Amino acid sequence: MDLSRKLHRFTVVPSLPKELEGLQTIAHNLWWTWEPEAIELFRRMNPDLWRETHHNPVKMLGTLQQSRLEELLADDGFLAHLRRTEEKLQDYMDGKTWYEKARDGGSNTRIAYFSMEFGLHESLPLYSGGLGVLSGDHLKSSSDLGIPLIGIGILYSQGYFRQYLNIEGWQQEIFPQNDFYNMPLHLERNQNGAPLLVPLELAGRPVHAHIWHVQVGRVPLYLLDTNLEDNTWEDRKITAQLYGGDQEMRIKQELLLGIGGLRTLRLMEIEPTVCHINEGHSAFLTLERIRILMEEKGLQFSEARELVSAGTVFTTHTPVQAGIDHFAPELIEKYLGAYHHHLGLTREDFLGLGRQNPKNPSETFCMAVLALKLSGRSNGVSRMHGEVSRKMWKNLWPELPEEHQPLTSITNGVHTKTWLSDEMAGLLIRYLGTRWLDDPTDFGVWRKIGMVPDAELWRSRERCRARLVAFARRRLKEHLRQVGATPKEIAKADEVLDPEILTIGFARRFATYKRSTLLLRDLERLDSILNNPSRPLQIIFSGKAHPADFEGKELIRQIQQISHDERFRNRIIFIEDYDMAVARRMVQGVDVWINTPRRPLEASGTSGMKVAFNGGLNMSVLDGWWPEGYRGDNGWAIGSGEVYEDLDYQNDVESRAIYDLLEKEVVPLFYDRGADDIPRGWLARIKASMESLCPVFSNERMVQEYTDRFYLPSSKQWTALHDKDQSLARDLAQWKDRIACQWHKVRIEGIEAATSGEITVGTRVKIQVRLGAGEIPLEELSVEAYFGALDTRDSIVNGTMSRLDHAEQLGTDLHRFSGEMECKECGRQGFIVRIMPRHPILGTIYEPGLILWA
């Protein structure tokens, strides 16, 4: 008999003395996760309980014995520590920020940041890997910079899975229930104390969600939860697991995130000027935004679309089609059938919003395509990923050369304070001061890294490595107890790894393209490297495979089996249950971080950036962020960016390259010591790495770039189109319709340029174009010449656009435009003329079908 509906529920909260109430305030603002003094405050209360509660201060406060609270109440040192931390939090919340000082507060700008997962801390297990950790870092840096940003996500009752390995090394998954009432979050309620309910319709039935609030410094994060009694059992499971279930479960989660997320903001009376779609999962929000504008403002679909596009930003993180959500038309019809009626579209026109070819009835509905079509600004997450993405989506803009496509790049970064070890932070403060804490993007500050004495830098690195080895041994013992090892086997864990030898780390999601076993391809050669008597080396692995990825699980099993080989028992270890706590230990303690993706399948990667801040060095394939970071003296490149059709051959080539680097460069440099036993060549490379990488790959730089290139321009455009009863949005849609009707009469009748023979560098070549404008006023046409060096395929590379001005009227609708292009470089050059519409207020506008090249 199910008695759950008859239960009388209530919540019990910790009873803290008045002098200790500040602990609750600090615990419920995740600012503490990147503030060392706050972390130490909680650890000081009970170090063992702090570890047992997985560094969750809310749970620890609810578990702490009353006798211990009384001891803390009598501890003047602890009370002083608490007061300092309270004051620090208050100063942080009230302090003037970069956004206020450098960008004047951005007036009415408000950004809503939507993400399927947020990796803020291990005590909030709502993430699976890099995407979630990046989202969490984005919120933290937005808080530090004072960006007016709100996060929107899902509160999973089981989150991602906890991993353990059985005695054979096979990954097993468990899904423990998250106890929301013992986590740093709270339920949003109305004035009467009842929980706020977000309404949603799924396949014709009503579904409701609660809103949970997580405070991340200055930034609020709202998380949706459908595990409510009034929902059906199937709908309660929507927020059970991150990336769990089938396609139908995935579309329900994405409807909740996108449409439910937007309705959450309206319930909270928050009107964003910009919505940031972090990966395509939340792209349905664009349809909801259009629907609201049509219903409440009386706009047509084309008019509402202009507004929504202006105020929407999309970031893609995926370099392959297989990693992007595609839904069958039948599934879209089932869950969004009513929307094409609301938007005044036919079924086929509606489905076309998510298709590269809108006229192909067999094409699936792609979330990335929907986001790209309805976002005014889009980006990849590294320069290389931007190039890959433009190739991947070129069919959306068939009339544009790749370099002109409206899909740019903003390279990822990491939140410095979250990932930096206390050891390294203290060293940097001693010699660089504290300016890098407030502005890690300051190149001038990082140039002072050379002032750090080699001996002190080396001692810091040794201590961080020793802590990592101690942590790895402790986790290994826990694993051995779990699989029923004997006391003797458990005791031997203390012999695994050596805190004084060169340590390599590899930790990430175990997808096959990341090639986690590339380093293990030749075990005989690896044995000679790892067990060199005078220059040994050790490897620490960690990571999870998706529960349905059996190839990824096999890679983990292989590593675990190899680690049991007598040759490698003390030199290779796999730390199970990879999470942010394990990641912090690893990026802070390893000497070398190895990254071996199959190029060009790594969109960015950020773990290597975290290593750089901690004085570790990167050895990576030239993929993702590393082509931007590597300069020869600040790490190592595996290969030169070659891509072979034969994957097995590529693996052979690059595994040999790794062994060569280790034997000839990495290991000798680490063990080349002076009389004081300090590896000065190694430390010079660390300093070069920190000086070149730290100011560039911080999340503060990344968020500033999003703010200046995306958020503020998008907000300004949204406001301009929205003001005065959306008059500019209405005008823009009508203007585009008029231009489209008249465009067929626009023609280029001739081009003249003095380009015959050889031209000396520095010459300014005159270009003249005879243009038939038809019925379009000249001021509404943009005439430009695009010129530059030609590659072997006769494509212009990194060209320059030069405006051509009206010179004279030649006939009824025939005109001459002229201008110049300066030949700044020698070699084969070329040019092409481009005609596009130009709006009187918004300037040149690209619209599919409204562009001429000649």
Side-chain angles (χ1 to χ4, degrees):
M1 180 179 179
D2 182 12
L3 298 178
S4 61
R5 291 184 176 272
K6 298 180 183 295
L7 284 174
H8 300 272
R9 295 174 175 82
F10 55 93
T11 304
V12 178
V13 298
S15 175
L16 296 176
K18 186 174 178 57
E19 295 86 345
L20 300 181
E21 285 178 352
L23 290 168
Q24 283 280 36
T25 303
I26 298 166
H28 280 86
N29 188 324
L30 292 187
W31 164 85
W32 68 260
T33 64
W34 69 90
E35 175 47 55
E37 192 159 6
I39 295 169
E40 178 56 26
L41 177 73
F42 291 124
R43 192 202 66 78
R44 181 176 179 176
M45 294 173 72
N46 188 322
D48 291 335
L49 187 58
W50 179 237
R51 189 162 53 244
E52 288 168 17
T53 57
H54 218 51
H55 311 140
N56 179 348
V58 175
K59 187 173 183 179
M60 187 175 75
L61 289 173
T63 311
L64 212 59
Q65 295 292 322
Q66 193 65 34
S67 58
R68 180 54 183 154
L69 290 174
E70 290 169 3
E71 289 172 6
L72 294 172
L73 203 54
D75 184 340
D76 290 339
F78 179 82
L79 293 176
H81 190 170
L82 172 57
R83 284 194 296 273
R84 281 197 314 273
T85 308
E86 285 185 279
E87 289 168 5
K88 205 165 190 177
L89 173 57
Q90 196 59 53
D91 289 346
Y92 176 87
M93 297 298 287
D94 296 340
K96 206 163 181 64
T97 65
W98 169 85
Y99 186 72
E100 292 173 298
K101 291 185 284 190
R103 299 299 178 269
D104 299 322
S107 61
N108 68 330
T109 299
R110 296 200 85 173
I111 303 108
Y113 181 87
F114 292 72
S115 185
M116 196 78 160
E117 51 176 306
F118 285 92
L120 293 157
H121 189 258
E122 59 268 21
S123 61
L124 269 174
L126 308 173
Y127 60 95
S128 71
L131 177 68
V133 171
L134 181 79
S135 301
D137 278 9
H138 196 112
L139 265 56
K140 293 171 184 176
S141 292
S142 295
S143 170
D144 290 342
L145 295 167
I147 310 299
L149 184 139
I150 305 104
I152 298 290
I154 293 175
L155 185 62
Y156 302 98
S157 57
Q158 297 175 354
Y160 206 45
F161 64 92
R162 298 290 301 273
Q163 176 201 56
Y164 71 94
L165 306 185
N166 67 18
I167 198 164
E168 298 295 326
W170 281 105
Q171 172 182 293
Q172 308 292 304
E173 299 91 23
I174 52 175
F175 295 88
Q177 291 288 329
N178 286 323
D179 181 359
F180 301 157
Y181 294 93
N182 276 310
M183 294 168 76
L185 40 77
H186 68 264
L187 196 57
E188 286 290 342
R189 300 177 183 273
N190 63 22
Q191 292 177 338
N192 300 320
L196 288 176
L197 290 175
V198 180
L200 200 65
E201 264 204 4
L202 294 177
R205 65 184 182 277
V207 178
H208 291 91
H210 279 164
I211 307 168
W212 293 82
H213 181 160
V214 180
Q215 193 63 34
V216 187
R218 300 179 176 97
V219 169
L221 167 63
Y222 298 111
L223 301 170
L224 295 169
D225 165 29
T226 63
N227 188 19
L228 316 183
E229 277 188 10
D230 291 341
N231 290 332
T232 67
W233 177 240
E234 280 302 307
D235 292 334
R236 293 179 70 169
K237 290 192 291 185
I238 293 172
T239 55
Q241 294 178 7
L242 172 61
Y243 305 137
D246 56 12
Q247 282 289 88
E248 192 147 0
M249 177 58 74
R250 180 63 68 88
I251 196 172
K252 288 190 285 188
Q253 288 185 331
E254 296 186 4
L255 287 163
L256 175 68
L257 177 63
I259 296 174
L262 204 63
R263 292 179 184 180
T264 296
L265 292 169
R266 288 169 66 80
L267 267 178
M268 303 297 296
E269 299 182 348
I270 297 169
E271 174 105 25
T273 55
V274 179
C275 288
H276 187 162
I277 301 170
N278 189 44
E279 196 53 283
H281 307 121
S282 59
F284 288 133
L285 72 85
T286 56
L287 304 177
E288 174 70 358
R289 239 179 153 191
I290 290 172
R291 182 193 66 79
I292 291 168
L293 286 167
M294 292 178 69
E295 287 188 6
E296 296 185 359
K297 306 297 183 182
L299 300 179
Q300 299 297 310
F301 173 80
S302 59
E303 298 164 346
R305 178 177 181 168
E306 294 296 341
L307 247 175
V308 169
S309 175
T312 305
V313 167
F314 170 52
T315 298
T316 174
H317 295 261
T318 311
V320 289
Q321 284 281 1
I324 292 169
D325 286 329
H326 292 255
F327 297 115
E330 297 75 26
L331 212 50
I332 294 293
E333 181 72 20
K334 178 177 178 179
Y335 286 97
L336 286 153
Y339 260 83
H340 66 79
H341 298 297
H342 290 313
L343 305 185
L345 300 176
T346 66
R347 177 182 182 274
E348 288 308 310
D349 284 345
F350 181 78
L351 289 171
L353 294 172
R355 289 170 169 164
Q356 292 195 60
N357 179 2
K359 296 179 181 178
N360 180 1
S362 62
E363 188 178 334
T364 54
F365 189 97
C366 175
M367 295 300 285
V369 171
L370 176 66
L372 286 165
K373 285 186 174 182
L374 296 182
S375 299
R377 289 169 174 82
S378 302
N379 70 286
V381 289
S382 69
R383 267 185 226 147
M384 188 168 174
H385 181 233
E387 294 168 9
V388 170
S389 297
R390 286 188 288 276
K391 286 182 173 66
M392 189 169 159
W393 301 114
K394 63 184 178 183
N395 291 339
L396 291 175
W397 310 287
E399 302 153 313
L400 294 178
E402 282 179 17
E403 63 269 27
H404 286 208
Q405 291 169 6
L407 204 172
T408 182
S409 64
I410 294 178
T411 302
N412 286 342
V414 298
H415 184 250
T416 313
K417 297 173 194 172
T418 292
W419 300 103
L420 193 64
S421 71
D422 294 347
E423 186 74 40
M424 187 57 70
L427 184 68
L428 294 176
I429 289 170
R430 279 200 301 280
Y431 290 97
L432 275 64
T434 58
R435 188 171 172 184
W436 63 272
L437 287 166
D438 299 320
D439 183 12
T441 67
D442 189 329
F443 279 86
V445 171
W446 291 103
R447 288 192 195 101
K448 296 178 183 176
I449 195 73
M451 297 167 53
V452 178
D454 284 351
E456 290 196 45
L457 178 56
W458 183 238
R459 279 198 297 272
S460 294
R461 290 295 311 134
E462 287 193 303
R463 282 192 283 264
C464 289
R465 188 190 318 113
R467 290 193 187 102
L468 170 59
V469 168
F471 174 79
R473 287 171 175 172
R474 187 170 68 246
R475 292 295 290 263
L476 177 58
K477 286 181 178 180
E478 291 171 5
H479 164 72
L480 290 172
R481 290 190 192 98
Q482 189 176 29
V483 297
T486 65
K488 185 177 179 181
E489 289 172 322
I490 294 170
K492 278 189 174 180
D494 285 327
E495 300 170 11
V496 170
L497 304 181
D498 183 335
E500 296 185 355
I501 71 173
L502 177 59
T503 303
I504 288 180
F506 181 104
R508 50 190 42 85
R509 183 166 54 91
F510 267 67
T512 51
Y513 80 86
K514 292 181 182 282
R515 299 189 296 178
S516 52
T517 57
L518 197 62
L519 190 55
L520 312 177
R521 200 165 173 86
D522 183 343
L523 293 181
E524 294 302 319
R525 194 169 176 187
L526 185 66
D527 178 25
S528 69
I529 296 171
L530 267 57
N531 292 304
N532 184 305
S534 59
R535 302 187 310 187
L537 182 150
Q538 60 197 7
I539 310 169
I540 301 176
F541 289 94
S542 192
K544 295 177 177 178
H546 186 277
D549 184 1
F550 294 102
E551 289 180 305
K553 290 182 179 183
E554 170 60 20
L555 295 174
I556 293 173
R557 189 195 67 80
Q558 288 176 22
I559 293 170
Q560 187 72 344
Q561 290 291 320
I562 290 169
S563 74
H564 291 162
D565 185 311
E566 279 303 320
R567 294 172 295 176
F568 307 117
R569 188 175 292 277
N570 294 334
R571 291 286 184 260
I572 297 177
I573 186 174
F574 186 95
I575 301 176
E576 66 183 1
D577 202 24
Y578 186 55
D579 65 1
M580 289 182 70
V582 176
R584 274 199 310 276
R585 286 291 189 184
M586 289 191 66
V587 299
Q588 291 171 4
V590 298
D591 297 300
V592 176
W593 192 257
I594 191 164
N595 187 32
T596 53
R598 217 166 68 233
R599 179 183 162 101
L601 301 183
E602 183 85 295
S604 172
T606 56
S607 52
M609 302 173 189
K610 297 159 191 164
V611 169
F613 277 96
N614 285 287
L617 294 171
N618 281 275
M619 183 166 74
S620 175
V621 169
L622 287 168
D623 198 9
W625 74 282
W626 193 228
E628 296 169 56
Y630 178 62
R631 69 177 196 189
D633 65 343
N634 61 350
W636 293 274
I638 301 168
S640 303
E642 306 92 343
V643 176
Y644 303 99
E645 290 185 13
D646 185 333
L647 178 57
D648 205 46
Y649 178 71
Q650 176 129 14
N651 290 342
D652 277 340
V653 168
E654 291 180 344
S655 64
R656 287 197 298 271
I658 293 171
Y659 296 137
D660 286 343
L661 279 172
L662 291 175
E663 290 171 335
K664 298 174 184 177
E665 296 188 40
V666 179
V667 173
L669 190 65
F670 183 85
Y671 286 105
D672 182 13
R673 311 288 174 91
D676 54 4
D677 200 34
I678 293 175
R680 299 192 184 279
W682 186 268
L683 294 170
R685 194 166 283 248
I686 287 176
K687 290 178 180 180
S689 169
M690 295 184 76
E691 180 185 329
S692 59
L693 302 180
C694 292
V696 178
F697 296 102
S698 73
N699 221 54
E700 285 76 6
R701 183 274 311 156
M702 183 194 82
V703 172
Q704 286 175 359
E705 207 172 333
Y706 273 112
T707 301
D708 289 337
R709 291 177 57 191
F710 280 16
Y711 294 159
L712 292 179
S714 293
S715 182
K716 182 179 179 181
Q717 193 173 351
W718 164 274
T719 302
L721 292 172
H722 193 270
D723 282 353
K724 300 177 182 176
D725 295 325
Q726 303 83 44
S727 59
L728 185 54
R730 298 173 199 268
D731 170 73
L732 178 59
Q734 293 166 12
W735 177 83
K736 283 186 177 181
D737 287 343
R738 174 172 62 81
I739 294 291
C741 290
Q742 299 170 347
W743 191 256
H744 67 282
K745 296 182 180 178
V746 177
R747 64 203 183 277
I748 295 174
E749 296 205 348
I751 298 173
E752 298 172 10
T755 56
S756 59
E758 293 183 344
I759 297 170
T760 56
V761 69
T763 301
R764 303 183 75 89
V765 176
K766 188 173 184 180
I767 303 172
Q768 297 191 84
V769 176
R770 294 195 308 279
L771 173 70
E775 299 173 14
I776 299 177
L778 292 183
E779 62 270 17
E780 294 184 4
L781 290 173
S782 169
V783 184
E784 296 169 302
Y786 178 58
F787 63 94
L790 298 178
D791 64 14
T792 54
R793 297 172 299 169
D794 273 352
S795 296
I796 296 173
V797 181
N798 298 322
T800 302
M801 197 68 74
S802 180
R803 176 176 165 176
L804 305 183
D805 296 314
H806 183 252
E808 60 177 320
Q809 183 168 356
L810 302 175
T812 307
D813 75 336
L814 191 62
H815 302 265
R816 186 190 310 279
F817 283 75
S818 68
E820 292 180 336
M821 57 183 181
E822 184 179 357
C823 301
K824 296 181 179 180
E825 297 178 359
C826 296
R828 292 177 70 245
Q829 307 277 313
F831 78 92
I832 190 168
V833 172
R834 186 184 77 176
I835 317 295
M836 290 174 68
R838 183 168 60 206
H839 189 270
I841 296 174
L842 300 174
T844 302
I845 289 175
Y846 168 70
E847 189 74 9
L850 306 185
I851 187 169
L852 278 181
W853 296 93

